[in-house]
Amino acid sequence: MYVKPGCPYCDGARERLGAQGLDWEERDATTRPDWREELFSLSPRGVVPTIVEADGTVTVGLDGHG
């Protein structure tokens, strides 16, 4: 999951994933240029959270409409 600090939508995604009992890796797009590039390749506007599932499915934004 691509995130940025202080993002309430990222907090919501964390809560949702946790409630589903899922594990995830977070990539703070503000800390590494390569993660920022990856985020923008998945979501051209750089919307967070952007979630990439193990099967490659990408969900942009908390509700999937980012």
Side-chain angles (χ1 to χ4, degrees):
M1 176 167 60
Y2 293 87
V3 298
K4 70 177 183 179
C7 169
Y9 301 107
C10 298
D11 292 339
R14 287 181 189 100
E15 288 177 21
R16 235 185 239 175
L17 294 172
Q20 293 173 5
L22 300 173
D23 293 321
W24 66 94
E25 173 188 347
E26 289 193 13
R27 294 184 174 193
D28 181 341
T30 67
T31 62
R32 289 185 39 183
D34 56 330
W35 286 352
R36 181 175 171 84
E37 287 178 26
E38 290 172 10
L39 170 62
F40 276 88
S41 73
L42 298 165
S43 169
R45 294 185 305 144
V47 174
V48 291
T50 291
I51 301 168
V52 182
E53 297 180 38
D55 68 0
T57 301
V58 176
T59 303
V60 177
L62 181 58
D63 60 4
H65 298 101

